[in-house]
Each structure stands twice: as structure tokens, then as C-alpha cells.
Amino acid sequence: MDPASAASPHEHIIHLSWAYLYSAALNAVAELGVADRLEAGPRSAASLADELGVQAQPLYRALRLLATVGVFIEDESGRFALTPAADVLRTNAPGSMRDAVLMVSHETFWMPAGKLGSTVRTGETQFTRIFGAPFFEHFARDPSVGPIFHRGMASFSDSENATIAGSYDFSRFQRVVDVGGGHGGFLIEVLRAAPSARGVLFDAAHVLRDARIAAAGLSERCELATGDFFKEVPGGDCIILKRILHDWSDQTAIEILRVCRRALAEGGRVVVVDTVIPPGNEPHPGKLLDVLMMVSMPGRERTEEEFRSMFAAADLRLERVVKTPAMLSVIEASAA
């Protein structure tokens, strides 16, 4: 049921106001690994609680809420079973979203979101006031939360990487550099789609420790390189920035683009993979993601014209925007 069309205006507003409770319930069951324990078949909340060492009644109530939105289903005997949506919460499910849920619903996003009013008033995220350091510094210095972010980003991206890589012709490039490429999930799909290309996965050393390149059988075609993309990146005729620019302010994003422009081979392309916000009032996941960026980071999601302006400031020219089946688009730029 679409609450916007089926409910009264008053009910619609209330439904939106307590929507955060679905996130809270998702976080709880994902952290506990409930979906993993339902793979063999339906079970009661009491049985699950006994195995997990938690309280049965609160667990039942959280599962009952999620069942109202298609995550789990309760049968007449009070047992819960997996639905297609619940199945992707399993740790070993193809395209598992468990780590993505744990990241997006983590307190590092949740708590600053509760201070959105302050952000609107001041124009600044409250993240540093809450956690004592800016977003990426906090994740780098706290070993308990850093892996949550990096595993979450990998999980968030795994379901989209192949379809995005298949939406753009990477086969015309010889050396593809994925800047801030994390564990390498996207670059792996790019190299599979472009079997004659060689790759460079560029990120911080502590991130590359969990790189997937070797496990994908691509070690001979792809090197790992460490460094700081604010200062220098490896050269290539295709330099990828996937989910990087949206983390940063316009001025910082322009500085990153300038670094990439200096490393770009003649005739090459800077390929930005990010949300492109469409005009109008229609729902778009990028509009949600934009507010998520606003509350925890200095970044934002951008329109096509905003990308065009940033490229121009970095001595680049927007060539085209390629839509993909995912929420992200491929924004291609050449040297101006």
C-alpha cells in the first residue's frame, strides 16, 4: 500500500514521522543475523530468541513490524519465514544487503540525522560535534566502525556494479584507474566487461588489505596502489570516481577532479559514477541519499548542470550522461 495515495493527509504525515522505526527494526534484526537462522525454514520468535540469547517478546514485536512491509512473513502459528526482501538480509545471500543495512542504519548516520534541524539552520553537519571528528577521520581512527563503513559500501555496491559496468563501453580504454575504489568490486566488473584493459585499484592501504582482485583471478591484469587522491592519482586513459565526489563539497570535489585531470592521458576520460538528481517532484533515491550526505558529510548529490559547472572549474568538459538501471549514472568528462 502506498501511504501517500491510500491514507489521509494526517495519516500520511504520521506514517512518515515514525518511518525511522522501520530502520531501527532492520538494524536490530540485521545485527542479530535473524535472516540467517530462517534459511532452513520458519521459526517462532521464542525459538530464535533462545538461540540468539535475546528477549522473545521484543524480537517478536520487531519482526511483526517488519512483516507489515514485506520483510519476513508471520504465519497463523506465529512463526516467521523469509520473504524475498528478508532473504537479502542473509549474510551469504547473493547480493546480500546485510552489511549495507548495518552501515546505513548505523549511529554515524542515524544520530546526525536527528540533528537535521541544526544543519538546516547552520548549513553545517553536526557530525563532528557528536563524534569528535569529521566523518572520514572518525572512521579511520575508530577500528570498531571503520570496517562497518567499508563492508557496507561494498555490500551497497555489489548489486549494482555489473549492471553499471555493462551500461558504458570500457573496452576502448587500455588503463583503467579506480580512484577510491575500495575493495575493487566495481573495477572487477569493469575488467570483466573490458577483457583487454588493465586496471589500477587505488585507495588507502588499510582499505586495500581486503581487496578482492586476487580472489577474482585478476591479479595479472590489475595492480593495487596506495595514496591520497587529494594529492596524486595513478595515470590512465580512464579514471573512475565511483561514489567519491558526492562525499565532498563542491570546492573539494573540484580539487579531486583537478588531480584526476593532471593524471589523465591524452584523449582519455574521467568517468564519474554518481547519482544525477532529476528535476521535478518525482521520488528518486538520490534525493534521499542527498539528505544522508548532508547530515553526516560535507557532500551532496548533484544535477547534470552542477556536474557540468564543476567539470569546467577543473578544466574538464562534460561529454554525456549515461543512465543505468541502477540509481547511479555514468557522467563522462574529457579534457577541456
Side-chain angles (χ1 to χ4, degrees):
M1 181 181 73
D2 179 2
S5 59
S8 72
H10 300 81
E11 291 169 333
H12 179 47
I13 289 298
I14 289 298
H15 185 87
L16 289 174
S17 297
W18 59 33
Y20 64 91
L21 295 170
Y22 297 106
S23 297
L26 273 174
N27 180 276
V29 301
E31 182 181 351
L32 291 170
V34 171
D36 290 338
R37 287 157 175 83
L38 292 177
E39 185 176 3
R43 294 178 61 179
S44 68
S47 169
L48 290 166
D50 184 60
E51 182 175 322
L52 293 167
V54 300
Q55 298 298 308
Q57 189 190 72
L59 178 61
Y60 171 79
R61 291 158 71 181
L63 290 171
R64 180 175 62 183
L65 174 65
L66 291 173
T68 67
V69 289
V71 184
F72 306 105
I73 187 169
E74 182 184 6
D75 64 22
E76 293 180 354
S77 64
R79 298 185 306 167
F80 289 91
L82 295 174
T83 60
D87 189 66
V88 300
L89 292 175
R90 289 191 300 109
T91 305
N92 296 322
S96 172
M97 295 297 288
R98 180 176 182 239
D99 285 332
V101 168
L102 291 174
M103 176 189 70
V104 175
S105 60
H106 191 260
E107 65 178 14
T108 45
F109 289 113
W110 185 287
M111 292 176 67
K115 300 297 182 182
L116 180 57
S118 296
T119 297
V120 171
R121 283 190 291 272
T122 65
E124 297 180 355
T125 173
Q126 300 299 298
F127 191 96
T128 299
R129 187 182 67 79
I130 295 170
F131 294 105
F135 185 88
F136 287 107
E137 183 179 330
H138 174 65
F139 273 82
R141 74 180 187 178
D142 188 338
S144 69
V145 298
I148 293 173
F149 177 75
H150 294 296
R151 287 196 301 264
M153 283 306 303
S155 172
F156 206 82
S157 298
D158 281 346
S159 62
E160 67 189 13
N161 282 334
T163 188
I164 294 173
S167 298
Y168 180 82
D169 182 14
F170 286 97
S171 65
R172 58 192 170 122
F173 301 114
Q174 296 180 344
R175 181 175 164 90
V176 179
V177 181
D178 193 353
V179 175
H183 297 163
F186 184 61
L187 186 55
I188 288 168
E189 297 299 339
V190 167
L191 294 176
R192 286 172 175 167
S196 64
R198 300 188 66 83
V200 181
L201 181 62
F202 181 77
D203 214 314
H206 72 276
V207 176
L208 293 183
R209 282 198 292 268
D210 294 318
R212 305 177 185 176
I213 300 299
L218 291 168
S219 295
E220 293 185 0
R221 291 178 55 205
C222 184
E223 63 184 273
L224 307 184
T226 63
D228 181 351
F229 58 55
F230 292 110
K231 298 177 181 177
E232 186 178 21
V233 302
D237 59 343
C238 177
I239 297 180
I240 297 172
L241 292 162
K242 180 175 186 280
R243 294 191 187 274
I244 299 297
L245 297 186
H246 78 154
D247 290 339
W248 304 99
S249 68
D250 288 353
Q251 187 54 49
T252 303
I254 290 167
E255 292 171 5
I256 295 169
L257 286 169
R258 285 172 176 162
V259 172
C260 294
R261 169 65 181 87
R262 291 196 295 270
L264 188 63
E266 184 176 355
R269 295 290 187 268
V270 173
V271 175
V272 174
V273 184
D274 252 329
T275 297
V276 177
I277 299 290
N281 299 317
E282 293 302 311
H284 189 280
K287 296 176 182 179
L288 278 170
L289 190 58
D290 181 52
V291 175
L292 188 69
M293 295 296 102
M294 179 169 62
V295 298
S296 288
M297 302 181 187
R300 57 185 296 209
E301 306 304 321
R302 297 176 173 93
T303 66
E304 180 175 338
E305 287 307 310
E306 287 167 337
F307 277 111
R308 191 185 308 277
S309 177
M310 284 201 314
F311 287 152
D315 196 25
L316 292 164
R317 178 175 58 249
L318 192 152
E319 293 288 346
R320 57 179 174 145
V321 175
V322 179
K323 294 183 178 180
T324 77
M327 77 166 72
L328 305 184
S329 294
V330 177
I331 309 112
E332 179 189 81
S334 64

